[in-house]
Structures are given as structure tokens and as C-alpha cells.
Amino acid sequence: MKKCLIIGYGNTIRCDDGLGPYIVKSLRDKVGNLGKNIEIISLPQLDVTLTSLISRSDIVLFVDAKTDMADELVTIKRVKPNPGPAGLSYISHKINIPTLLRASLDWFGVEPLCYIIMPKGFNFSFSDTISEKALESANLAQNKIIEILKAFN
């Protein structure tokens, strides 16, 4: 059975910026019947230490709120490693997904299939509550993640 890693990240005290952690928290109960090889983690921000987990996965799904004003409630994009060696960019507090994938490839020789799922956020003020509008994005994102997991396994 293939191994899947789901990483939800975002600031949970900035309203809809916490969509990533909110979605993966509620996914835990819903994906139990899809297989034992699904690991779900929640973080405030991406960190270089994720490369070890990424290197042990066949597919990695990142979940993070999007701030653009596009009409789509959920955007899904394939993500590939940055070209060339990771260099020093992996030590930054602003590390991004392509850099994490590059570091995983450089250090462990592994490049898993990777997607980012971006539910639309509407309110990024200070609060620990997801806005009503963003809850619709969250539900749609969860359904899309479950579809991806079913197709993958």
C-alpha cells in the first residue's frame, strides 16, 4: 500500500489562515477507512524537518488557505521541486513547498507526487474562528482530498 502524507498549515489565530489545520483536523476521522498508510499533521508554518517525512511518502498533499480573489473556492495544483540543488534557501523561515521537495530530492533521493490544495479564505483578521464563508471552501477541499486519496489507493 502506498504512503500518503497530508500537511495542513497556517496561522490558527488569523481566522481563515487556519484553514489548513482546520481541514486536516477534521479529515482524521473521515480517512480512517481509506487505509493505515495516511499520516496527517498540522503545523503553523512549513519547516525543513518535514523533508524526512516527505522522503518516506509516495504522495504528499499540502493544505493551505489561499488569499487571492479568484472565484474558485478550492484550487489544486501539482507541485514539483525547485530546479537545481536546494542551497541555503532551506534554512529560511519562509521555506516553500518546491524548496522542501528539492531538499527531499537532494538529501534522500526521493521525489513524491505532490499537490497543494488551497481553499479560499475570506477573513484574515485576528480570531481563532474560521469564517462562515470559508467553511464552504473547507468542506469542498475535504471532499477533494478524499477523492484524491481514493484515486491514489
Side-chain angles (χ1 to χ4, degrees):
M1 168 125 349
K2 295 181 179 180
K3 178 132 173 79
C4 178
L5 174 63
I6 305 172
I7 301 169
Y9 64 101
N11 187 339
T12 57
I13 60 169
R14 293 293 305 265
C15 286
D16 298 348
D17 194 43
L19 277 167
Y22 173 84
I23 290 167
V24 299
K25 181 180 177 186
S26 56
L27 263 177
R28 284 192 169 106
D29 296 331
K30 295 179 180 180
V31 299
N33 62 345
L34 294 177
K36 295 178 184 173
N37 287 328
I38 299 172
E39 184 169 359
I40 298 174
I41 60 174
S42 175
L43 302 164
Q45 67 183 24
L46 299 177
D47 184 276
V48 69
T49 59
L50 290 170
T51 56
S52 177
L53 291 172
I54 290 169
S55 72
R56 295 190 302 258
S57 303
D58 298 299
I59 183 170
V60 181
L61 305 177
F62 289 89
V63 185
D64 185 28
K66 68 176 182 166
T67 60
D68 67 30
M69 299 312 296
D71 289 337
E72 303 89 20
L73 288 179
V74 177
T75 302
I76 300 174
K77 292 183 180 178
R78 171 88 190 268
V79 186
K80 294 189 171 248
N82 280 339
L88 293 178
S89 60
Y90 65 85
I91 61 173
S92 166
H93 289 288
K94 295 275 190 184
I95 195 164
N96 61 32
I97 298 169
T99 301
L100 280 174
L101 295 174
R102 181 78 239 174
S104 178
L105 183 57
D106 290 351
W107 300 341
F108 301 100
V110 176
E111 182 184 341
L113 181 63
C114 179
Y115 292 94
I116 182 164
I117 294 88
M118 297 175 287
K120 185 175 183 175
F122 297 87
N123 182 357
F124 293 87
S125 62
F126 287 100
S127 173
D128 62 355
T129 305
I130 302 296
S131 72
E132 286 295 321
K133 284 179 157 180
L135 289 175
E136 186 179 348
S137 300
N139 289 331
L140 184 58
Q142 284 179 357
N143 291 337
K144 291 193 177 284
I145 291 168
I146 290 169
E147 287 175 21
I148 291 169
L149 293 173
K150 285 179 179 176
F152 183 70
N153 282 325

